[in-house]
Amino acid sequence: MRKIFIAIVAILINVTAFGQDDSSFNVICKRQVVVGEQFNVSYELDGNGSNFVAPNFVDFEVLGGPFSSSSSSVQIINGSITKSNKTTYSFYLRALKEGTFKIPAATITIDRKKVKSTTMDITVLAGGNTVHSGSPKNGGSQTVDMGDVFVEAVPNKKNAYIGEQIMLTYKIYFTIPISQLSVSKSPSYAGFWTKDITSNNGTLQQSSVVRDGKQYSVATVQEIVLIPQKTGTLTIDPLDINCIAQIRRQRERQRTNDPFEDFFSDVMGSGYTNVKKEIKSQPIDIEVKQLPSSEKPASFRGAVGQFTFTSTIDKTDMKSNDAFTVTYTVSGKGNIELLEMPKPVFPPDFEVYDPKISTSTKTNSYGISGTKKAEYVVIPRVSGQFNLSPTDFTYFDPARERYVTLSSEGYVINVEKSSNEGAGGVVYSGGQEAVKVLGTDIRHIMTETKLHKFSGTLFATPLYFIIITLISVVFILSLIIHNKINKFNRDDVLVRNKKATKTAKKRLQRACDYIKANDQSHFYEEYAQALWGYISDKLNIARSQLSMETVKEMMFSKKAPEDIVNQFIDLLNSCEYARFAPGDPGKKMDELYQKGVEVISKAERVLK
């Protein structure tokens, strides 16, 4: 009987122990992070609870959560039964600013009572720093790095001359899998002429690099050529990028002596989740210097880089009224698309047509290089021998920090009298009697002319007054129209305003041609120029001062409706976003083109 009594008491004690549930609710996270770093915050409940209420993380960005996981275990040691339940609620946060902040308490219901978790102070350090903090248990150190995913803007130089090429590369570094990379907002690059030379065709080429002792995968997102158009300190705003990051979840727990529990906890306690991540590059200041004013040649027209200069002529022997062609070519690396071609001086008896300017460029990781040609068609109207003097071309070489002047060849032009000169010219060889008929433009003075006496009188007749009145009216109207045309032409703002839509339509038409040719690179270049050029001309904003903020402010000042302003700004952002967005490139270009036509049409109705 005594043994039975002892067994019953032992069972009651064990059952009591089995039913005991000493609950604790604690927050677990790192003590130190850096600005922009992503980190994990877990609220761990030892015991049974329900109705978890997440805190408000006012000082951090919530990337994901709450993610909950739970486990339970039963141990029998020397006849003693112990049961434990553990539930973890995890969040993924990102530090936004430097300082010391409090991880707030979460709330859960235990035995019909609301219980708050513990809180914790966390220190956020400036981005890019690496901090080592000692561990009281093992005397070791913990490294706080820049984060798992970040984007960096890398210029090849931060000091440049006005007009000098600057290569700006945006690179993304990551230690975790990422996907669906897209540009959400591009900088306006105020004060720069820009050209996107990205050649990844939407596919990122990855490589590996070690930074601060940590291995990253790195890929180039964008490559931009910048050419400063004004001096001073020019700031490049951050590039905003969205991506989906695949983050591994690992439930924090302590090892037990049960190998089976450890095995199943390893399998069941870990996993991956997709989190939308928004990252920005750092702003960059570029110091732009003025070109040296001393010893600047008169032939300098803004070319900056390294160039060669040549000329060719198709013939030097010809007859009067025959056309010949002379071509001047500038080749090299630099602001080839912006430079002004030199203007040769032709003899005064030559008829010279406006030159045909053509530009051919190629891009690589070193910037823009290419060739620019000016092709002149010239017609000598007078026979004789003429000298076409050499033409000077001057550029500034930023590497050598000096001006370089190159000269073309000079030519001797031999012009003979034309045997068939009926194509619109004259040849002088003496006095008036020697004027030779060229076509039907000039004829000899008739020496035998019969004159007839007019017997009537016109003065003071009704017809006379009618003629005088008509002449006066025509003169006054012509004067008024002439003054209006002159006033219009003198008003650059009005001229740009009136031509804005016409110019934009031409560029959009060229963009449409690139859609048909499936030329994605040239389409986006022409399309962006159409949008920026239209708003620059319409609002009279200098190209160097164009930015999203300036455009929005000026459109509102013109009393444009908010929806049209927002559509125009969104379209400017979408132009860059569409290049990296997944999907059919042809469909993206067509949709973007239709939106551009629609938005410019709406803007034209409200911007006068």
Side-chain angles (χ1 to χ4, degrees):
M1 179 63 72
R2 183 179 179 183
K3 291 182 180 179
I4 295 174
F5 176 77
I6 292 173
I8 293 173
V9 172
I11 292 173
L12 289 175
I13 292 174
N14 288 335
V15 169
T16 301
F18 183 88
Q20 286 177 346
D21 192 3
D22 296 330
S23 300
S24 63
F25 194 27
N26 300 310
V27 60
I28 300 172
C29 74
K30 301 168 71 172
R31 293 284 187 177
Q32 288 180 326
V33 295
V34 297
V35 174
E37 181 180 352
Q38 170 195 300
F39 62 98
N40 174 270
V41 174
S42 298
Y43 293 88
E44 193 172 90
L45 173 66
D46 286 327
N48 296 313
S50 60
N51 300 327
F52 174 81
V53 179
N56 184 14
F57 298 101
V58 293
D59 298 312
F60 304 91
E61 179 184 2
V62 180
L63 301 177
F67 307 106
S68 62
S69 61
S70 60
S71 64
S72 61
S73 62
V74 177
Q75 289 184 327
I76 302 176
I77 302 175
N78 296 326
S80 175
I81 303 175
T82 302
K83 178 184 178 182
S84 64
N85 293 321
K86 183 178 291 186
T87 305
T88 302
Y89 302 90
S90 299
F91 295 85
Y92 292 94
L93 309 181
R94 182 170 65 180
L96 299 176
K97 54 187 176 181
E98 187 179 358
T100 300
F101 306 98
K102 186 179 292 295
I103 300 296
T107 304
I108 201 167
T109 301
I110 302 175
D111 294 333
R112 299 182 181 180
K113 293 182 180 180
K114 290 186 177 180
V115 178
K116 289 187 174 182
S117 70
T118 58
T119 61
M120 179 178 291
D121 289 335
I122 184 172
T123 301
V124 180
L125 305 174
N129 293 329
T130 300
V131 178
H132 299 276
S133 58
S135 171
K137 291 184 179 181
N138 53 23
S141 63
Q142 179 184 8
T143 301
V144 181
D145 56 28
M146 296 173 65
D148 294 322
V149 182
F150 65 92
V151 64
E152 184 176 53
V154 184
N156 66 338
K157 62 188 72 174
K158 290 189 175 182
N159 291 277
Y161 285 100
I162 186 170
E164 182 180 0
Q165 281 196 96
I166 301 171
M167 275 298 303
L168 179 62
T169 305
Y170 292 98
K171 295 184 177 182
I172 187 168
Y173 294 79
F174 51 97
T175 60
I176 56 178
I178 59 173
S179 61
Q180 299 184 26
L181 186 68
S182 63
V183 175
S184 60
K185 183 179 179 182
S186 294
S188 60
Y189 303 109
F192 294 94
W193 179 90
T194 64
K195 185 178 181 68
D196 189 340
I197 62 170
T198 308
S199 59
N200 55 30
N201 295 321
T203 302
L204 299 182
Q205 301 296 323
Q206 300 181 24
S207 59
S208 297
V209 66
V210 176
R211 290 184 54 155
D212 299 327
K214 188 174 183 179
Q215 185 165 350
Y216 289 89
S217 295
V218 59
T220 297
V221 178
Q222 267 191 338
E223 289 182 297
I224 307 291
V225 173
L226 307 175
I227 298 180
Q229 301 295 291
K230 62 180 182 179
T231 58
T233 302
L234 304 183
T235 300
I236 301 173
D237 297 329
L239 174 74
D240 292 8
I241 291 180
N242 290 334
C243 68
I244 301 297
Q246 192 177 61
I247 301 173
R248 182 176 183 177
R249 298 178 309 193
Q250 180 65 50
R251 181 175 56 84
E252 297 185 13
R253 56 179 181 78
Q254 294 182 349
R255 292 283 178 177
T256 68
N257 293 324
D258 188 342
F260 294 100
E261 180 186 352
D262 287 341
F263 172 77
F264 285 108
S265 295
D266 285 337
V267 174
M268 302 296 292
S270 63
Y272 290 89
T273 183
N274 290 332
V275 177
K276 181 179 179 181
K277 193 169 183 65
E278 299 177 358
I279 50 181
K280 292 184 177 183
S281 66
Q282 80 283 12
I284 297 174
D285 289 336
I286 304 293
E287 295 293 335
V288 182
K289 300 175 288 186
Q290 185 62 267
L291 297 177
S293 57
S294 60
E295 301 181 359
K296 181 186 291 186
S299 56
F300 178 71
R301 295 179 177 272
V304 179
Q306 294 84 36
F307 301 100
T308 61
F309 181 52
T310 59
S311 65
T312 59
I313 191 169
D314 61 344
K315 57 185 176 181
T316 57
D317 296 315
M318 66 207 71
K319 294 183 179 181
S320 58
N321 299 314
D322 286 348
F324 69 93
T325 302
V326 59
T327 304
Y328 296 89
T329 303
V330 175
S331 300
K333 177 185 175 184
N335 57 347
I336 192 77
E337 296 189 46
L338 300 180
L339 64 83
E340 183 180 350
M341 292 294 290
K343 296 181 179 179
V345 178
F346 293 93
D349 294 318
F350 283 17
E351 182 177 351
V352 183
Y353 292 90
D354 291 337
K356 177 185 176 182
I357 306 295
S358 59
T359 305
S360 174
T361 61
K362 57 182 179 180
T363 59
N364 52 36
S365 57
Y366 298 102
I368 300 175
S369 60
T371 299
K372 195 166 192 175
K373 294 182 179 181
E375 185 177 300
Y376 289 86
V377 175
V378 186
I379 301 177
R381 295 302 188 187
V382 179
S383 60
Q385 187 178 79
F386 303 91
N387 290 321
L388 185 55
S389 302
T391 300
D392 291 340
F393 169 71
T394 299
Y395 66 91
F396 180 78
D397 188 342
R400 294 186 286 176
E401 296 187 330
R402 67 182 183 89
Y403 294 97
V404 179
T405 299
L406 306 174
S407 296
S408 67
E409 290 186 57
Y411 301 100
V412 177
I413 310 296
N414 298 307
V415 182
E416 298 180 359
K417 292 182 181 180
S418 175
S419 59
N420 182 12
E421 297 175 337
V426 296
V427 174
Y428 296 95
S429 60
Q432 182 180 13
E433 295 297 328
V435 176
K436 192 174 182 180
V437 178
L438 299 180
T440 58
D441 293 341
I442 301 176
R443 293 191 178 275
H444 295 293
I445 296 175
M446 297 178 65
T447 57
E448 296 181 1
T449 304
K450 295 181 179 181
L451 300 178
H452 300 279
K453 184 178 180 181
F454 179 68
S455 59
T457 179
L458 184 62
F459 180 73
T461 63
L463 180 59
Y464 171 80
F465 291 108
I466 292 174
I467 293 174
I468 294 298
T469 302
L470 289 176
I471 292 174
S472 301
V473 171
V474 170
F475 175 77
I476 294 172
L477 289 176
S478 300
L479 187 62
I480 293 173
I481 294 173
H482 178 74
N483 290 336
K484 285 187 175 181
I485 292 175
N486 284 342
K487 183 179 179 181
F488 176 81
N489 290 332
R490 287 195 302 268
D491 191 343
D492 293 336
V493 176
L494 186 60
V495 171
R496 291 181 63 189
N497 185 287
K498 294 297 183 182
K499 292 183 178 179
T501 306
K502 184 178 180 181
T503 304
K505 285 181 178 179
K506 288 182 178 179
R507 288 192 175 278
L508 286 174
Q509 182 58 49
R510 286 197 290 267
C512 183
D513 294 338
Y514 289 132
I515 294 178
K516 297 175 182 178
N518 200 26
D519 190 341
Q520 188 174 359
S521 175
H522 285 91
F523 167 79
Y524 286 112
E525 178 182 346
E526 200 68 46
Y527 185 80
Q529 290 292 338
L531 296 179
W532 285 110
Y534 170 79
I535 207 66
S536 172
D537 292 338
K538 199 68 180 177
L539 301 180
N540 191 34
I541 305 175
R543 293 295 181 98
S544 61
Q545 297 177 354
L546 279 177
S547 66
M548 299 290 185
E549 293 74 17
T550 306
V551 171
K552 183 180 292 186
E553 181 181 344
M554 289 295 292
M555 291 185 74
F556 279 132
S557 69
K558 296 289 185 179
K559 298 182 179 179
E562 184 176 358
D563 60 331
I564 294 180
V565 176
N566 292 335
Q567 288 179 31
F568 203 94
I569 298 300
D570 291 343
L571 192 61
L572 292 173
N573 284 324
S574 298
C575 184
E576 288 298 328
Y577 171 81
R579 299 183 70 248
F580 299 94
D584 180 15
K587 185 178 180 182
K588 288 187 296 182
M589 290 190 290
D590 188 63
E591 291 177 354
L592 208 60
Y593 172 80
Q594 297 299 332
K595 289 181 180 178
V597 174
E598 180 182 349
V599 170
I600 289 179
S601 299
K602 290 180 179 179
E604 184 64 19
R605 290 195 290 267
V606 297
L607 298 177
K608 303 297 183 182

